[in-house]
Amino acid sequence: MDTGVVNEVEVWTRACANDGRAFTSLFDTHRDRVFRHVLRLVDNAHDAEEVTSASFFELWRRRASVILVSDSVLPWLLVTAGNIARNVSRGTRRYRALFDSLQRADATADAEQIAVDHFEDDESLGYLKAAMKMLKPVDASLVILVVLEDYAVTEAATLLGLSAGAARTRLHRAKGKMRQQLTEART
Amino acid sequence: MKQIDFDPVFSAAIRSELDARVTAPTARISLRRRHLRLGAGIFAGASILIGGAAAAAGLLTMPGAQEVTELGVSVVETATGTAAVQLGAVPDGATGILVSLTCLTPGTFSFDDGASIGCDMDDVGQPTGGGSYTLNFSPEQQFITITTAPESSWTIAATYVSERTTEWAINANGETYGALNESGEPNLIAVTATNGNGGFVHAGELAHANGSEQAATFTSPEQALAWQDSMAGKTVSVPVYQNDGETRVGEFTIQY
C-alpha cells in the first residue's frame, strides 16, 4: 500500500482470490478492535484471543456469504465474534486442536487472574455480559453494532438481514430488557 | 485500568496459519478431490472419472485410466502426532506408494511431498475424513512421514504399487475417449450421469458448461468474481453419450 489509502473492498477482493497478504492485512487492521470488543463479553483474555482468532478463521471459511457494511468486514467480524463469545467452547471447537497446538508468550500466566483484575474496575461489565447472553443472537448483534460500536441502525440491519424498521423495534425492546436486567442486578 | 494486549506470540501464530490457509486452499484438499474441482460449480449427482479414481473404483477397463498393481501387503499403522512409518524393502517395479489416510481427530496431515489432507470435527468418522493418495518416491526411501500437530491422530494403510496409465481408445469417428489423466483430456471424457449411467461428455461442451472455457479469458479476479456472481444459482447440463459420442444415455449437471 504505497498510497497509504487502503480500500478495504479491494483488499477483501484480493483476499478472496487467495492473496494471503491481503487477508493478513485485514487481521492486522481489525485484530485489536475485535479483541477489545470480545474482552467485554468473555471471562478471560485467553478466551478473548481464541474467540477473536476464530472469527477471522470463520471470515475465511464463510467468505462466500460475508456482507460488507460501510465497505468494511469489521461489522461482520464483530457480530461473528459476538456469536462465538455466547458459547466459547462450542464456537471455538472447530479450531480447538489448532489453538492448543500454538505457542503463547506467557503459557504460565494466570489469564483468569488478569481478567479478574481488569474487570473489577468496572462491575457493570459483568451485568452487561449477563444481559447480552439473555438476548436473542440477532438482538445481541444489534446492541453490539449500534450501542457499543456506533454503527447506524440501517447499517446493522443490512448485515443482519432485517428491515430498518424491524431493526429499530428490536433494538428498542432489547435496550428495555437490558435496562431491566441491569436494574434488577443492582437492587 | 490495566491494558490487556493480544498475546503477540499467539497472534503471530494465528496470522501465519491464516496466511497459509488463504494462500494455499488446495493444500487441504486431497489430490483426488482437487482434480474433481474443474470449474467453479458443483457436479450435481454426477461425477467425472479421473484416471486414478477410476482405477480405485475397479474400472480397470476404462481407457486412459491408471492401472494400479499392488506389490506386497499393506502396512497399517496408527499414531498420534508426527511419525514415520517403515515400509520395508522396495519391491521391483514399484513406482509409488499408495497411502490411504483416515483422520481420527481433526487436524492437517501432511505427506512427505507437501500434499496434505485436512479434517475438521465434522469430517472425523465420515467418508470425507481422509483420502487416498499415491506418493512418488525415491528408490532408497523405505518409510513415509506423516507430519501433524502433536495431538492429532491418524491411521494409514500404505502399499507399494506400480502404476501405468493406459491409452485412450478411439471410436469410429476418430475421437479419443476415456478417463481424464495426466496427459490431459480426451475428446470424450468419461463421466457418471445423473441417472447413474456411465458415459462420456464432449470435452468442448463440458469446458463451456463448467466455466473453464470462460475462465481462460479472465484477466483479473474481479472478472472471475463477476462471472461467478452471474452464474450463482444456475444449473447447466451437458448431454452424456455412449463412446460413439452420438447415442444419448443421460445428462451431466453442474450447479453454480
Side-chain angles (χ1 to χ4, degrees):
Chain A
M1 298 299 142
D2 299 322
T3 57
V5 179
V6 180
N7 175 347
E8 195 165 308
V9 176
E10 193 187 314
V11 175
W12 176 239
T13 308
R14 287 216 316 273
C16 286
N18 299 113
D19 182 338
R21 281 178 60 192
F23 196 89
T24 49
S25 82
L26 293 172
F27 178 69
D28 297 339
T29 307
H30 298 309
R31 182 198 71 182
D32 286 342
R33 181 85 184 271
V34 177
F35 181 60
R36 305 254 158 269
H37 163 57
V38 176
L39 271 177
R40 295 184 292 213
L41 305 174
V42 299
D43 296 328
N44 63 66
H46 274 199
D47 279 359
E49 284 164 357
E50 294 188 350
V51 169
T52 302
S53 303
S55 70
F56 281 94
F57 283 111
E58 288 294 287
L59 177 66
W60 174 244
R61 193 172 73 86
R62 289 156 61 186
R63 59 193 176 282
S65 62
V66 168
I67 294 172
L68 303 193
V69 171
S70 307
D71 290 345
S72 173
V73 294
L74 180 62
W76 191 96
L77 282 167
L78 294 172
V79 165
T80 303
N83 287 336
I84 296 171
R86 292 172 75 86
N87 186 335
V88 176
S89 64
R90 192 178 63 201
T92 57
R93 193 178 61 190
R94 183 183 286 274
Y95 308 105
R96 174 60 32 218
L98 170 70
F99 291 163
D100 288 348
S101 74
L102 300 179
Q103 296 221 327
R104 289 176 180 276
D106 53 346
T108 52
D110 190 336
E112 196 105 17
Q113 193 53 47
I114 296 171
V116 170
D117 289 347
H118 170 68
F119 288 133
E120 272 174 356
D121 295 336
D122 189 350
E123 63 170 352
S124 65
L125 266 172
Y127 301 130
L128 175 66
K129 275 193 280 184
M132 292 292 292
K133 285 203 168 145
M134 176 194 74
L135 295 176
K136 287 184 181 145
V138 172
D139 296 340
S141 298
L142 270 173
V143 171
I144 286 170
L145 288 173
V146 180
V147 180
L148 303 180
E149 299 289 339
D150 289 332
Y151 282 95
V153 176
T154 47
E155 292 176 322
T158 310
L159 180 59
L160 299 169
L162 300 169
S163 71
R168 274 193 199 93
T169 311
R170 295 188 83 125
L171 186 63
H172 179 73
R173 288 189 190 140
K175 280 182 182 167
K177 270 190 197 169
M178 287 183 72
R179 210 172 291 125
Q180 190 185 353
Q181 170 98 358
L182 290 173
T183 314
E184 280 169 13
R186 285 198 173 114
T187 51
Chain B
M1 188 183 286
K2 188 158 60 182
Q3 169 92 0
I4 299 178
D5 287 321
F6 203 108
D7 181 331
V9 175
F10 189 70
S11 175
I14 292 290
R15 195 179 187 282
S16 86
E17 177 69 21
L18 285 169
D19 190 16
R21 289 191 183 196
V22 173
T23 308
T26 51
R28 285 175 57 76
I29 300 168
S30 73
L31 191 67
R32 212 176 100 189
R33 276 192 276 163
R34 189 173 70 215
H35 275 184
L36 289 167
R37 288 165 50 111
L38 287 182
I42 297 166
F43 302 125
S47 60
I48 292 191
L49 298 183
I50 312 289
L59 302 168
L60 287 175
T61 51
M62 178 60 70
Q66 219 162 42
E67 205 175 73
V68 179
T69 313
E70 296 195 3
L71 308 169
V73 295
S74 296
V75 173
V76 179
E77 194 149 320
T78 299
T80 300
T82 298
V85 178
Q86 296 295 330
L87 300 178
V90 182
D92 287 343
T95 58
I97 302 167
L98 178 64
V99 186
S100 164
L101 185 142
T102 307
C103 312
L104 303 179
T105 63
T108 300
F109 305 88
S110 305
F111 297 104
D112 294 313
D113 62 358
S116 67
I117 291 176
C119 289
D120 59 28
M121 190 63 84
D122 303 331
D123 293 327
V124 174
Q126 301 299 317
T128 54
S132 291
Y133 184 61
T134 307
L135 275 171
N136 294 322
F137 74 120
S138 46
E140 65 278 7
Q141 186 181 345
Q142 301 196 359
F143 63 91
I144 52 175
T145 310
I146 301 294
T147 307
T148 186
E151 71 285 353
S152 299
S153 297
W154 46 274
T155 292
I156 64 163
T159 319
Y160 286 114
V161 293
S162 79
E163 295 170 298
R164 189 181 71 87
T165 303
T166 56
E167 297 290 319
W168 290 318
I170 297 176
N171 67 15
N173 296 329
E175 297 165 312
T176 53
Y177 67 90
L180 289 182
N181 60 32
E182 62 273 18
S183 18
E185 49 183 46
N187 301 133
L188 291 163
I189 301 170
V191 299
T192 305
T194 48
N195 59 12
N197 286 342
F200 301 85
V201 290
H202 283 282
E205 288 183 345
L206 181 67
H208 185 73
N210 73 11
S212 44
E213 183 184 293
Q214 295 84 337
T217 68
F218 297 152
T219 54
S220 70
E222 289 74 23
Q223 273 185 312
L225 290 174
W227 181 82
Q228 242 176 46
D229 288 345
S230 76
M231 295 302 291
K234 290 188 184 158
T235 301
V236 184
S237 292
V238 287
V240 177
Y241 304 97
Q242 286 180 3
N243 64 21
D244 60 6
E246 289 167 359
T247 314
R248 287 274 300 254
V249 295
E251 63 176 21
F252 186 83
T253 308
I254 297 158
Q255 234 167 43
Y256 285 90

